[in-house]
């Protein structure tokens, strides 16, 4: 078992950030036919010769030509209170889809990166298992206790979103109830699995390999 790769999404959401080139992230595209492009990401995705299952967003970024050519798969949601990533996730949720991989959530604009990653916690609270895959690793939103499987020496970081009673087994540096995000970064596994115990929500970032650190 390996928590990083043992995830079979029912759908993949492609954001408009840096599109990954790392094989682990790209593998998610091959695990489902339901590829949803967030509005502005559609032009880039179509230019690669691929056609998504759906294009979702407020349609303010996609080209007028692609808006016309792919009107049959376009789903427009003009609501400005959410970003296109969340529109896509909510659209999938309405179709009964609960396991989602997100690509392109990071890069280009740091404010968008922070917003997109932090939204994983909101999706978790709605009962959605959404994970963001980058060129370096995967972000997983967690509530409560969880065991993870990955090789010894895997670099990890933990970001607290209000959880308490945090503790761990199998990590080089034990966890505690930290409040600042930086306090949970730059940890490392010392066994082929580790466990986090907590009351509440937190994000875990698992690096694909030590070479990426």
């Amino acid at each position: 078992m390996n928590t990083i790769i043992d995830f079979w999404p029912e759908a993949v959401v492609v954001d408009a950030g840096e599109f990954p080139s790392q094989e682990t992230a790209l593998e998610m595209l091959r695990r489902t036919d339901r590829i949803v492009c967030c509005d502005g990401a559609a032009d880039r995705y179509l230019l690669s010769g691929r056609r998504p299952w759906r294009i979702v967003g407020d349609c303010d970024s996609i080209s007028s030509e692609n808006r016309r050519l792919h009107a049959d798969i376009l789903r427009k949601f003009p609501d400005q209170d959410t970003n296109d990533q969340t529109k896509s996730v909510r659209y999938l949720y309405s179709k009964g889809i609960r396991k989602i991989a997100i690509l392109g959530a990071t890069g280009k604009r740091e404010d968008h990166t922070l917003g997109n990653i932090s939204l994983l916690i909101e999706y978790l609270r709605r009962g959605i298992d959404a994970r963001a895959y980058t060129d370096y690793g995967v972000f997983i939103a967690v509530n409560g206790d969880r065991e993870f499987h990955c090789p010894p020496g895997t670099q990890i970081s933990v970001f607290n979103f209000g959880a308490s009673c945090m503790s761990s087994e199998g990590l080089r540096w034990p966890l505690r109830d930290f409040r600042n995000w930086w306090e949970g970064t730059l940890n490392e596994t010392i066994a082929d699995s580790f466990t986090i115990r907590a009351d509440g929500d937190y994000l875990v970032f698992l690096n694909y390999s030590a070479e990426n650190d």
Side-chain angles (χ1 to χ4, degrees), residues 60-129:
D60 65 347
S61 301
I62 187 173
S63 70
S64 57
E65 180 181 11
N66 280 329
R67 193 160 52 238
R68 175 180 59 83
L69 290 174
H70 303 284
D72 59 320
I73 60 172
L74 193 64
R75 300 295 183 268
K76 182 177 181 179
F77 297 94
D79 176 19
Q80 294 298 312
D81 291 333
T82 60
N83 66 2
D84 289 334
Q85 175 183 284
T86 298
K87 290 181 175 70
S88 298
V89 169
R90 288 182 179 179
Y91 173 78
L92 291 169
Y93 184 85
S94 74
K95 302 299 180 184
I97 294 171
R98 301 292 184 268
K99 296 183 69 175
I100 302 169
I102 300 175
L103 306 182
T106 63
K108 293 190 175 180
R109 283 187 55 173
E110 288 80 2
D111 52 346
H112 286 182
T113 291
L114 287 172
N116 289 338
I117 296 303
S118 67
L119 280 165
L120 295 177
I121 294 292
E122 178 180 314
Y123 307 150
L124 173 72
R125 292 168 180 169
R126 292 174 175 265
I128 301 168
D129 186 359

Side-chain angles (χ1 to χ4, degrees), residues 160-167 176-177 179 197-202:
N160 194 358
F161 280 75
S164 60
C165 302
M166 296 192 80
S167 64
R176 55 184 173 79
D177 287 354
R179 293 299 172 217
R197 294 183 176 85
D199 294 333
D201 302 326
Y202 53 96

Side-chain angles (χ1 to χ4, degrees), residues 145-164:
D145 301 347
R146 176 76 67 89
E147 182 180 22
F148 300 85
H149 296 266
C150 49
T154 299
Q155 306 296 301
I156 81 151
S157 292
V158 181
F159 302 93
N160 194 358
F161 280 75
S164 60

Side-chain angles (χ1 to χ4, degrees), residues 39-53:
D39 197 356
D43 288 337
R44 177 182 60 189
Y45 194 81
L46 290 163
L47 191 63
S48 72
R50 295 169 289 190
R51 192 172 191 258
W53 176 62

Side-chain angles (χ1 to χ4, degrees), residues 1-8 24 28 31 129 131 133 138-140 142 146-151 154 192-194 204-208:
M1 293 179 62
N2 187 323
T3 302
I4 295 173
I5 60 175
D6 291 340
F7 183 65
W8 294 86
T24 302
M28 296 299 135
R31 295 188 177 186
D129 186 359
R131 304 182 180 191
Y133 286 79
V138 56
F139 287 93
I140 304 173
V142 185
R146 176 76 67 89
E147 182 180 22
F148 300 85
H149 296 266
C150 49
T154 299
D192 58 7
S193 69
F194 69 95
V204 175
F205 180 77
L206 302 176
N207 216 32
Y208 295 141

